[in-house]
Structures are given as structure tokens and as C-alpha cells.
Amino acid sequence: KFRSEDGRKFCDSIQKLNHLESLTVSSTSEDDIIDLESMCSPPQFLRCLHLKGGLRKLPDWIPKLQNLVRLRFKWSKLEDDPLKALQNLHNLLELGISYDAYYGEKLHFEEGTFPKLKTLGLLFLSKLRMLEIEEGALSNLEVLHMGPCPQLKESSGFEHLRNLKELLCEIPINFLMFQNFQSLRAAGASIQLFHRINGVLHRFEGIMETLEFMRDHTEEEWKSEFENILSIHFEAAEKLVASGSLQELLRLLCISKNTLPYIPS
């Protein structure tokens, strides 16, 4: 666990590990700051970086890691859109921004950015209000994991994700997200909805198919029906959780313990 007062000493040590390929830094709590600003010469062979803790700002050395293929942020509370600084990481295959790693209102994927990215996770971003994906961005994205982002009111560009194979969404979702998902589903992407029960992700089958029949309904009608469907699942699931009937719970949710997807944290 990383303490804020350890920053300079930690950075000095890491800079000496010239052939380091993977680095995970985790603070003692989500409110503690990870001070990595004094890193002048980061290991250039670094391929995987996972930062879990507060950052005053995105460290200047991260966008210089041209060998980076996996990057995850958690609890960072970055106020400036990190995509502007990260968009030149052309070899990045996986990007995860979760649990208020970004504390701003808009994320903008510009044309031509993140050309090799295969997996993107945008999770539990409480301030996010707008998501924009320009044509030509995320051109090879295959897996998108989203939600819950309760303030998300405007999004565009989902139709540009032509190579998307799976969209994994944690509920609750809103009417806007559902409309975007419909265009992806029409293009052949698999849409799966998940809910956390006792901290474990479980998949709900059939909800997208059911709601598809309501695509011409109003937002209020859609929301009411969606809540009714979920309440049926939740009531049954909670009873099974309380009784400890794991196998029955998995059967209800049409999922096995071995088929949970890989989710960026």
C-alpha cells in the first residue's frame, strides 16, 4: 500500500528498474494521494500500469510510455479529460477508467485515437454527463464495459464502433444508454446486462430482448417496465442469496461461475 509521503522515495526506486514491465500502485484508501510527479525517467519497457488512488493530475510521464498495452485508473479523481494526454499511446490494448478516476463531466474520443484498443471500461463515474465518440476513434474496439454513470445525459458515436463484439453494462442504465445499445445490437454486437449481488457480477438474460419491444415507447414507459422486470429478478435473487442457494441463484441468472466476463477494474 502506498502512502502519500512515500512518493519521492518510491519514484526514485522505480526509476532504477529499467526492465520493469508491470507496475501496480495502490493507496491505503481512496482518499489518499499517490504522488508520482517526481518520476523523471520511468521504465520505458513498462507494458502494464494500474494506479489505484488519488492523483493531483495525470503524471506527465505516463503519455511517454509507448510500450504500454494495459492502463487502469481507479479513485484518481482527475478533473481534466485524461484522453487528451493518453491518445498518443498508440499501442494501448486495454484502458480502464473507474470509480471516479475521472471527476469531470465530458469524455471525448477524437477521430483516429486509440487505434489498437480492444477493451475499454468506463465504470462508476459519478460526474460524467457527456460521452462523445468521433468517427474513426476506437476503430478496433471489441469489448466495452460501461455503467453505472448516473449523470450521463448525452452520448453520441456508438454507431461508429463497427468492430464491437460485446457490450457489458452494469445496471442501472438509463433510457439514453438503452437507445445507444439498440444501434450496437442491430450491428451485431452482443449486449449483456449485469448486476452486482454481494460484490459479484451476475448476468441477467432476456432483458434487452424484452425491452426491445418497447423501443417506440416513451422514456417514462420504458423506465417503468425496466424497473418491473428488474424487481422480479432482484426479489428472487435476494431470497436465494439469503438462503445460501448459490446453484439456484446461478440458474436463475442463467450463468455459471466459470462464464463471468473479464471486467477491467
Side-chain angles (χ1 to χ4, degrees):
K1 295 291 186 178
F2 188 96
R3 299 177 303 173
S4 57
E5 61 267 26
D6 296 332
R8 183 170 294 278
K9 184 184 298 184
F10 176 81
C11 290
D12 288 343
S13 299
I14 293 298
Q15 290 179 136
K16 298 174 183 177
L17 303 176
N18 296 326
H19 298 284
L20 186 69
E21 293 189 6
S22 181
L23 175 63
T24 297
V25 184
S26 181
S27 64
T28 53
S29 76
E30 62 181 279
D31 296 320
D32 286 344
I33 297 295
I34 301 176
D35 185 3
L36 301 175
E37 289 299 316
S38 60
M39 186 97 69
C40 297
S41 301
Q44 290 303 305
F45 294 102
L46 202 62
R47 292 172 55 82
C48 302
L49 179 62
H50 186 187
L51 300 180
K52 183 179 178 181
L55 295 170
R56 293 188 177 92
K57 67 183 187 69
L58 188 72
D60 294 335
W61 51 269
I62 292 181
K64 301 175 183 178
L65 298 173
Q66 291 302 311
N67 290 306
L68 209 60
V69 296
R70 178 184 296 170
L71 178 59
R72 302 181 190 175
F73 297 99
K74 185 176 181 179
W75 300 340
S76 306
K77 292 185 171 60
L78 297 169
E79 295 183 355
D80 295 327
D81 185 349
L83 302 180
K84 295 182 182 298
L86 300 176
Q87 63 186 11
N88 291 322
L89 294 175
H90 297 304
N91 290 313
L92 205 61
L93 300 178
E94 178 189 314
L95 175 62
I97 302 174
S98 62
Y99 292 90
D100 284 335
Y102 175 53
Y103 224 41
E105 296 186 353
K106 180 180 179 180
L107 282 175
H108 180 199
F109 290 89
E110 298 180 7
E111 178 184 1
T113 56
F114 302 101
K116 293 185 179 180
L117 200 70
K118 298 290 186 182
T119 302
L120 173 64
L122 303 173
L123 298 164
F124 296 96
L125 303 177
S126 63
K127 302 289 187 180
L128 186 65
R129 300 180 64 86
M130 182 184 301
L131 176 63
E132 182 179 356
I133 303 171
E134 291 186 5
E135 185 167 8
L138 303 169
S139 56
N140 285 293
L141 191 69
E142 295 182 355
V143 178
L144 173 60
H145 184 196
M146 286 193 65
C149 298
Q151 300 300 320
L152 186 62
K153 304 298 182 184
E154 184 177 345
S155 63
S156 62
F158 278 73
E159 68 276 9
H160 302 319
L161 303 178
R162 297 183 178 90
N163 289 307
L164 196 71
K165 296 178 180 178
E166 284 190 305
L167 190 147
L168 313 171
C169 183
E170 286 191 47
I171 55 177
I173 64 173
N174 57 33
F175 186 64
L176 171 66
M177 292 175 70
F178 174 70
Q179 289 178 314
N180 284 316
F181 296 170
Q182 282 185 312
S183 65
L184 293 174
R185 185 181 177 85
S190 170
I191 311 295
Q192 300 180 38
L193 299 186
F194 291 82
H195 180 62
R196 289 182 188 266
I197 300 177
N198 285 1
V200 178
L201 278 177
H202 297 286
R203 183 173 67 230
F204 288 98
E205 295 283 359
I207 293 180
M208 285 298 297
E209 290 81 354
T210 302
L211 291 175
E212 190 125 343
F213 291 107
M214 299 188 63
R215 57 181 176 269
D216 296 325
H217 288 57
T218 67
E219 180 171 354
E220 286 303 315
E221 291 172 331
W222 179 90
K223 183 178 179 181
S224 175
E225 183 62 23
F226 187 59
E227 290 175 348
N228 287 337
I229 294 171
L230 293 183
S231 67
I232 295 172
H233 281 275
F234 290 167
E235 183 177 354
E238 287 173 355
K239 289 180 179 178
L240 292 172
V241 169
S243 66
S245 303
L246 177 60
Q247 293 303 321
E248 289 299 319
L249 175 63
L250 295 176
R251 190 174 298 114
L252 167 71
L253 301 176
C254 305
I255 192 170
S256 73
K257 288 184 288 186
N258 297 323
T259 57
L260 286 172
Y262 168 72
I263 303 296
S265 61

